[in-house]
Amino acid sequence: MSKTRSILGDKRLERPHGKLVDAMIQKQSVILRSLGNNRTEEVVFGRFLSNPKITPSNLVKQFWSTHARNWEAKHLLIVEDTTTASFGLFLNRSSLGGYVGKDTGQGGFHLHSALALNAETLSCYGLAAVKAYQTIRQEKEAQAIRRKNMWKIPFEEKERYKWYSVADEAIKNCSGASRYTIVGDRESDIYDVMAGFTDKKWDFVIRSSYSRRLDSDEHTLYPRMANWAVQHTYQVKLPATPKRSAHQASLELKFGAVTLLKPQPNPDKKLPDNLPIYVLEVKEQAHTVVGNEKPIHWVILTSHTIQSVEQALQILRWYQERWVIEQTFRTLKSEGLDIENSEVETYESLANLATMALLAAAQIMQLVNARNGQTKQAIEESFTPMEIACLQQLNPSLEGQTEKQKNPHPQNSMAYAAWIIARLGGWSGYLTQRPPGPITMLNGLVRFYNILQGAALRQ
């Protein structure tokens, strides 16, 4: 009888993989001396991360092999984005090889990731796939030659291929769903990507980055949309961001069907000459724009049919779920797990560590998404029976005297756990106040697992 081949290439690597994931979730740290219970475990974790058989891709595959779900009848959102891990300020990372940003002396690498969410309830299931890569420094002359010949390079050999390959890997890791919709920002506005998704019968929701050629007349996309009638106007309360003041915005909604032409030149003769899609535009009316700030203006390309306002608003809700992956990256950085301050020094080990940290950060986003009860996720999806029992024992001590200060969620729901974890993280418990974010949940998880460990030691 033949033995089952390990995803990690060696069955002996599965045990430290599981222990390291659990330690990161419980301690919300990437510092190996904190994750290990003793010096021996710290050394084991370090050797695990530097093992040549360990890669970001198979770390995620291993996770899903032990956290398998029945995706049947589910519509999954595969939300993609890229973040950078920069180590320019750390002298011991100067030999990483790659660079990030305009300062070519700043060492680091990139992580292109995909999260899996439930399209109906917006439950966050976790990190579905990841690709780590470096940007290698080139002389200006070499850069100019590459740019000139870029159109000749097969799409599969370009960095932008990540938008297709990572989605493909995510769907393989979460196979069996009834439908998939890939969500991406303006960087993913690539004809080859959209055509590839269409060929696989996967849907997409992608923000437009430029006015594409259309086949029906001489107009390009943006001038064509300018002639469309406004289908809907609605109000939305926008939170403050580094580039925008908090304010009540009045938004106009347009939508319609178009057919995109294949860009020229393009070396791939197998690509279709045209691609029928739907487009929606959301634009803030001038009278609600604050000062000289830029108005809200999104143009979304999608394979989903849009023939009503309700369908258009659904597409917008899916696109807005990019917030989840942005917050996951925030949790990975200095405010949260602080990947850039870990002791690991080599690119390969750091990329593996960052992937493990993303797996841990995804649980935080499960709690954030579940905090108001809308996801309807079961508590068992993230917590063991012993952990659930501890949460139930903690709940009364965190509730106040009035109904407004009590946990409003059913005990079997993820929202119930999210309320408790948020309270442990410093949230007031009042639903009228700002809801708890990822850093509050991170702090609450650390405190919860410290309490759980103390209870286990007393027993």
Side-chain angles (χ1 to χ4, degrees):
M1 184 176 179
S2 62
K3 294 183 179 179
T4 303
R5 185 177 181 274
S6 171
I7 291 172
L8 298 177
D10 189 332
K11 285 282 186 182
R12 292 170 296 181
L13 295 173
E14 293 179 6
R15 179 175 173 81
H17 172 275
K19 292 191 73 173
L20 188 52
V21 170
D22 289 343
M24 282 188 171
I25 290 173
Q26 293 172 15
K27 299 180 180 181
Q28 292 299 317
S29 173
V30 294
I31 308 301
L32 296 188
R33 63 175 178 271
S34 300
L35 295 171
N37 293 319
N38 48 53
R39 173 60 180 167
T40 300
E41 279 198 349
E42 179 185 343
V43 172
V44 168
F45 289 160
R47 289 176 177 171
F48 172 81
L49 292 170
S50 61
N51 191 306
K53 294 180 181 178
I54 302 302
T55 66
S57 178
N58 63 26
L59 283 171
V60 179
K61 289 179 183 177
Q62 175 63 28
F63 175 83
W64 286 108
S65 74
T66 57
H67 294 73
R69 295 176 181 270
N70 180 8
W71 303 111
E72 189 177 353
K74 285 185 171 61
H75 176 185
L76 294 186
L77 297 182
I78 304 298
V79 185
E80 294 188 75
D81 203 359
T82 306
T83 191
T84 59
S86 170
F87 301 95
L89 299 178
F90 298 89
L91 295 179
N92 62 333
R93 315 300 172 79
S94 59
S95 60
L96 279 176
Y99 69 88
V100 295
K102 295 180 180 179
D103 179 7
T104 58
Q106 188 146 308
F109 59 91
H110 309 274
L111 288 166
H112 186 77
S113 309
L115 291 181
L117 283 75
N118 186 303
E120 180 181 352
T121 66
L122 303 183
S123 304
C124 178
Y125 295 120
L127 180 69
V130 67
K131 174 183 174 62
Y133 63 97
Q134 292 183 294
T135 301
I136 305 303
R137 183 176 182 176
Q138 290 183 323
E139 297 299 329
K140 290 185 177 180
E141 184 177 338
Q143 290 179 12
I145 293 173
R146 179 174 173 81
R147 280 194 296 268
K148 182 179 179 181
N149 297 316
M150 183 65 71
W151 70 273
K152 299 178 183 179
I153 300 174
F155 180 55
E156 293 79 5
E157 298 177 15
K158 295 179 180 179
E159 182 184 298
R160 299 192 302 167
Y161 185 63
K162 64 188 179 182
W163 290 99
Y164 179 84
S165 63
V166 170
D168 182 51
E169 190 166 313
I171 290 169
K172 287 176 180 175
N173 287 335
C174 304
S175 61
S178 62
R179 194 170 193 175
Y180 296 95
T181 295
I182 295 92
V183 181
D185 64 9
R186 283 180 288 193
E187 190 187 345
S188 63
D189 180 6
I190 305 165
Y191 189 89
D192 306 61
V193 168
M194 292 185 284
F197 291 163
T198 302
D199 183 60
K200 289 280 191 177
K201 295 182 170 53
W202 302 333
D203 288 299
F204 57 83
V205 174
I206 289 172
R207 187 173 174 186
S208 170
S209 65
Y210 67 98
S211 187
R212 288 186 169 275
R213 294 191 306 140
L214 304 180
D215 72 343
S216 58
D217 56 32
E218 294 181 356
H219 280 171
T220 57
L221 178 59
Y222 294 172
R224 167 70 70 80
M225 291 189 305
N227 295 323
W228 291 351
V230 174
Q231 301 288 336
H232 181 60
T233 303
Y234 63 105
Q235 307 291 317
V236 63
K237 190 175 182 179
L238 298 175
T241 71
K243 297 181 179 180
R244 184 185 64 220
S245 304
H247 66 285
Q248 187 84 6
S250 179
L251 303 179
E252 295 179 342
L253 185 65
K254 296 179 178 182
F255 54 84
V258 299
T259 300
L260 305 181
L261 281 182
K262 181 172 74 171
Q264 297 296 334
N266 192 305
D268 191 348
K269 305 302 181 183
K270 296 179 181 179
L271 284 178
D273 291 332
N274 54 66
L275 192 64
I277 65 165
Y278 285 84
V279 181
L280 68 91
E281 180 186 39
V282 178
K283 190 172 184 179
E284 184 176 1
Q285 292 181 327
H287 71 273
T288 65
V289 178
V290 177
N292 294 322
E293 295 177 0
K294 288 186 177 182
I296 298 295
H297 188 196
W298 294 349
V299 177
I300 309 294
L301 315 176
T302 183
S303 56
H304 286 279
T305 300
I306 306 179
Q307 295 179 338
S308 68
V309 171
E310 291 73 20
Q311 290 173 330
L313 292 175
Q314 178 63 79
I315 298 301
L316 279 178
R317 281 191 288 271
W318 286 337
Y319 179 74
Q320 288 169 330
E321 286 309 298
R322 287 193 63 260
W323 174 87
V324 179
I325 197 166
E326 290 172 354
Q327 292 300 301
T328 303
F329 291 153
R330 179 189 171 205
T331 306
L332 188 71
K333 299 297 185 69
S334 58
E335 288 185 79
L337 291 165
D338 199 8
I339 184 66
E340 293 164 342
N341 200 29
S342 67
E343 315 111 309
V344 180
E345 296 183 11
T346 67
Y347 160 62
E348 291 78 11
S349 295
L350 276 167
N352 290 332
L353 183 67
T355 301
M356 302 288 279
L358 280 172
L359 289 167
Q363 187 187 26
I364 295 173
M365 296 315 301
Q366 285 182 343
L367 293 168
V368 172
N369 272 25
R371 65 194 176 191
N372 62 3
Q374 73 171 15
T375 66
K376 300 181 177 63
Q377 262 185 299
I379 194 172
E380 292 84 3
E381 291 191 16
S382 284
F383 295 95
T384 66
M386 183 174 71
E387 291 166 349
I388 294 170
C390 183
L391 287 166
Q392 291 171 347
Q393 291 176 4
L394 285 171
N395 187 69
S397 66
L398 298 170
E399 292 183 321
Q401 298 299 316
T402 66
E403 284 300 314
K404 291 182 178 180
Q405 292 178 297
K406 295 188 182 299
N407 192 332
H409 306 290
Q411 284 192 356
N412 64 348
S413 69
M414 190 78 76
Y416 175 82
W419 190 93
I420 296 168
I421 298 299
R423 290 286 287 120
L424 290 172
W427 180 54
S428 68
Y430 287 103
L431 297 179
T432 55
Q433 294 185 352
R434 184 177 180 178
I439 305 304
T440 298
M441 292 295 186
L442 183 151
N443 294 332
L445 269 178
V446 172
R447 189 177 173 198
F448 167 70
Y449 282 114
N450 285 337
I451 293 169
L452 185 70
Q453 186 178 37
L457 289 173
R458 285 195 297 273
Q459 291 177 5

